[in-house]
Amino acid sequence: MGIWGELGIEATKDKELITKAYRDRLVKVNPEVDSQGFMKLRNAYEEAMKYADTIEEEDNTPIGKWIKKIEANYMNYPKRIDENSWRELLEDEICVALDTKEEARDSLLTFLMSHYVLPQKVWMLFDKEYDIKNIREELYEKFPKDFINYGVIYNIDNPDTIDFDSFEIDEDLDYDTFINLYIALKKAMRGNDREEINKIIEDMDSLGIEYPYFDIEKAVLYIRDSKQTEAIEILERINRLLPNKLEVNYLLGVSYSSQDKVEEALVYYNYILENLDENDFSGKNGKAYCLMKMGQLEEARDLYADILEEDPHNQNADEYYHQISEQLIDVYKKYIAEEPGVTKHKISLAWVQMHTRKIDDALKTLENIEPQGDEIYKYYNILAHCNIGNENFDVALSYFIKWEEVIRKLIDSKEEDTKKQIRRLGYTIFRQGGCYVALKNYEKAIELTDKALEIDPKDIMFYSGKASIYMELKEYQKAVDVCDEALLIDDNNGDIFSI
């Protein structure tokens, strides 16, 4: 970070500004709680004051004159974020000549140690010119390793956390202080330190800089304070400026749904899923909630099912899914009373009975029916899981096998609706293995689990199941080996770590 990053200001010889920055940071650091943080801040202050006392002689060497151009370009905000202005500077003879190119590179990196607020495209330009990432070992000998890794290479490789193009440009405004404060605000928002947040916002407002993402943070605070009307006013204005920002559309959805204006909220969640990211998790959650509140229970239930397939541990989605299923029981019973001969209604009722753990009711509902066509897939699914629930493992196994057969007949289908069903093939085989575990036939269970892994080698649940079988057999090294394989796919999976 460097001394100036620690103080939250750009390099300066203004002692009053250094002292103010130090005092502002000092109130947020308790030496008794964070002695290391206090020492870092104190050292940064002392080094900054030493820097302020230095008297620099004007450097009229070719390198010195070039660095003056670099500094002038940096201090002019429109030019700072324009890669063409930097490209022109990097085409200077001083950067091309063999006898000065390395010195120019090192002088530029020295400058960047205290002047680092630049867009990724500029950092990438520096890397293209000097091949920084590939010569990092050489640079470690000349510069602090943390500066090269986190001050330079990190900025080359990672997207901007600041939307540099969204500022309303005025060359007289202090963008560097504003950006440092904005970064501090984001950090404070994560900790929800309201006193610190209010102080930072006050300081940012005093700079007179318009930046829509600063307004978004204000809107988030209004949402936290249940001031949805104020939040919506800000967000609607920003949405007119930046209509394709996912975060803005999501926050508008949250604000309207918090006011029970779910139809208005649904507009924004649909916009996210239809125009910005069809797989956005927050958009799906928001839409499912709105549909539930609007009484579109089946559509909401199906969307929550998709969410739980992606994230089986999503407690919020699981609760709503079961809540909807409870409501649908009466809906489907009404359908059956009105049309007793329609098999689809009975399968739908059995499905929600199963998901609300009314296993015996589900099995009774499915008695004496003959499913047809698409109904067969869900029919065997329900019977297999219900018999697992009742610990009738032999019976459950037979239905999992029949369910597998149904899916295999769909494999050559070109219909979009069957793709999700086909993806369950590995699962049906894995669950057959689970039945064999319950029946103490571990060899067959491992065989079927391996077969499931051949179909979907990235499904962590299959690895977890296989490792558990080896644990049951007390073959611990094999269990560890399976877990190691799983961690190569997902090194943060709680199911694996719990084995």
Side-chain angles (χ1 to χ4, degrees), residues 69-89 117-119 121-122 163-176 179 209:
K69 294 178 184 177
I70 292 288
E71 183 175 9
N73 199 76
Y74 184 91
M75 299 310 293
N76 183 311
Y77 186 83
K79 288 185 177 181
R80 185 196 303 189
I81 65 174
D82 178 14
E83 62 182 313
N84 289 325
S85 69
W86 290 101
R87 185 177 288 110
E88 186 177 330
L89 286 167
V117 182
L118 290 161
K121 60 186 178 182
V122 175
D163 188 343
F164 289 92
D165 295 320
S166 289
F167 288 101
E168 291 188 7
I169 303 301
D170 184 333
E171 294 181 19
D172 295 328
L173 297 177
D174 186 356
Y175 292 97
D176 290 302
I179 289 170
I209 294 175

Side-chain angles (χ1 to χ4, degrees), residues 251-290:
L251 289 173
L252 279 164
V254 169
S255 299
Y256 277 115
S257 62
S258 296
Q259 294 182 323
D260 290 327
K261 297 179 179 179
V262 289
E263 292 185 5
E264 289 92 333
L266 185 59
V267 171
Y268 294 101
Y269 294 131
N270 277 334
Y271 187 84
I272 290 171
L273 298 172
E274 293 170 8
N275 299 284
L276 303 179
D277 183 356
E278 64 180 356
N279 296 313
D280 181 69
F281 206 67
S282 298
K284 286 183 178 180
N285 265 301
K287 179 175 181 175
Y289 177 81
C290 291

Side-chain angles (χ1 to χ4, degrees), residues 197-413:
I197 289 169
N198 291 339
K199 177 66 170 64
I200 295 172
I201 288 176
E202 181 182 341
D203 290 345
M204 292 177 74
D205 280 334
S206 70
L207 294 172
I209 294 175
E210 293 293 327
Y211 183 56
Y213 294 92
F214 176 35
D215 291 333
I216 291 173
E217 298 303 323
K218 291 180 178 179
V220 170
L221 283 175
Y222 280 131
I223 292 171
R224 289 181 184 177
D225 292 339
S226 299
K227 297 179 179 179
Q228 315 301 341
T229 302
E230 291 88 341
I232 288 169
E233 183 179 347
I234 292 173
L235 293 166
E236 291 282 19
R237 173 172 54 79
I238 297 171
N239 201 41
R240 289 191 290 271
L241 295 171
L242 306 169
N244 291 320
K245 292 297 177 184
L246 192 151
E247 180 184 12
V248 176
N249 282 276
Y250 171 70
L251 289 173
L252 279 164
V254 169
S255 299
Y256 277 115
S257 62
S258 296
Q259 294 182 323
D260 290 327
K261 297 179 179 179
V262 289
E263 292 185 5
E264 289 92 333
L266 185 59
V267 171
Y268 294 101
Y269 294 131
N270 277 334
Y271 187 84
I272 290 171
L273 298 172
E274 293 170 8
N275 299 284
L276 303 179
D277 183 356
E278 64 180 356
N279 296 313
D280 181 69
F281 206 67
S282 298
K284 286 183 178 180
N285 265 301
K287 179 175 181 175
Y289 177 81
C290 291
L291 292 171
M292 178 181 69
K293 289 295 185 180
M294 293 165 65
Q296 298 179 31
L297 299 179
E298 289 178 305
E299 192 175 348
R301 187 267 316 275
D302 292 344
L303 195 48
Y304 277 127
D306 289 343
I307 292 167
L308 288 167
E309 186 173 353
E310 294 177 43
D311 180 12
H313 303 296
N314 188 314
Q315 186 174 354
N316 187 60
D318 187 64
E319 288 177 2
Y320 283 134
Y321 183 88
H322 285 88
Q323 181 180 321
I324 293 168
S325 295
E326 288 283 2
Q327 294 178 59
L328 283 171
I329 289 175
D330 290 335
V331 172
Y332 292 134
K333 283 182 176 179
K334 180 181 178 184
Y335 290 166
I336 292 169
E338 293 171 352
E339 298 178 298
V342 178
T343 305
K344 179 179 72 173
H345 299 330
K346 293 183 179 180
I347 291 176
S348 295
L349 174 60
W351 181 261
V352 293
Q353 287 171 328
M354 176 184 71
H355 281 286
T356 52
R357 300 176 180 84
K358 297 176 175 63
I359 303 299
D360 292 335
D361 289 348
L363 290 171
K364 186 174 181 180
T365 298
L366 293 181
E367 287 178 357
N368 303 317
I369 70 168
E370 296 182 8
Q372 303 294 323
D374 294 342
E375 299 168 352
I376 299 173
Y377 173 93
K378 188 172 282 190
Y379 175 75
Y380 287 134
N381 181 341
I382 298 168
L383 287 172
H385 284 100
C386 284
N387 279 285
I388 284 281
N390 280 346
E391 299 185 0
N392 295 322
F393 299 110
D394 280 320
V395 178
L397 176 61
S398 68
Y399 284 122
F400 277 120
I401 291 171
K402 290 178 180 179
W403 188 18
E404 177 194 348
E405 291 169 353
V406 171
I407 294 174
R408 288 193 180 280
K409 291 177 183 177
L410 299 173
I411 288 176
D412 295 328
S413 173

Side-chain angles (χ1 to χ4, degrees), residues 66-211:
W66 181 70
I67 287 295
K68 283 192 179 75
K69 294 178 184 177
I70 292 288
E71 183 175 9
N73 199 76
Y74 184 91
M75 299 310 293
N76 183 311
Y77 186 83
K79 288 185 177 181
R80 185 196 303 189
I81 65 174
D82 178 14
E83 62 182 313
N84 289 325
S85 69
W86 290 101
R87 185 177 288 110
E88 186 177 330
L89 286 167
L90 294 174
E91 290 171 354
D92 191 290
E93 179 64 24
I94 206 86
C95 300
V96 178
L98 292 176
D99 59 335
T100 56
K101 183 171 184 176
E102 184 176 328
E103 185 181 356
R105 178 202 68 199
D106 292 349
S107 297
L108 174 62
L109 287 171
T110 300
F111 176 83
L112 293 173
M113 289 182 74
S114 55
H115 302 82
Y116 46 81
V117 182
L118 290 161
Q120 183 190 22
K121 60 186 178 182
V122 175
W123 288 104
M124 292 174 69
L125 187 64
F126 295 154
D127 184 48
K128 183 179 179 182
E129 178 67 23
Y130 294 117
D131 200 23
I132 291 170
K133 290 165 65 176
N134 289 328
I135 61 166
R136 67 179 74 192
E137 296 294 334
E138 175 188 335
L139 294 174
Y140 291 159
E141 298 177 7
K142 299 182 177 183
F143 298 92
K145 191 173 182 178
D146 282 352
F147 165 65
I148 296 300
N149 286 340
Y150 304 114
V152 180
I153 294 174
Y154 180 87
N155 287 322
I156 293 168
D157 288 340
N158 289 278
D160 296 321
T161 56
I162 300 292
D163 188 343
F164 289 92
D165 295 320
S166 289
F167 288 101
E168 291 188 7
I169 303 301
D170 184 333
E171 294 181 19
D172 295 328
L173 297 177
D174 186 356
Y175 292 97
D176 290 302
T177 298
F178 184 90
I179 289 170
N180 282 320
L181 285 168
Y182 177 74
I183 294 170
L185 176 63
K186 294 285 286 186
K187 182 179 179 181
M189 291 285 283
R190 288 194 292 273
N192 202 23
D193 183 336
R194 195 52 69 93
E195 183 178 347
E196 183 180 4
I197 289 169
N198 291 339
K199 177 66 170 64
I200 295 172
I201 288 176
E202 181 182 341
D203 290 345
M204 292 177 74
D205 280 334
S206 70
L207 294 172
I209 294 175
E210 293 293 327
Y211 183 56

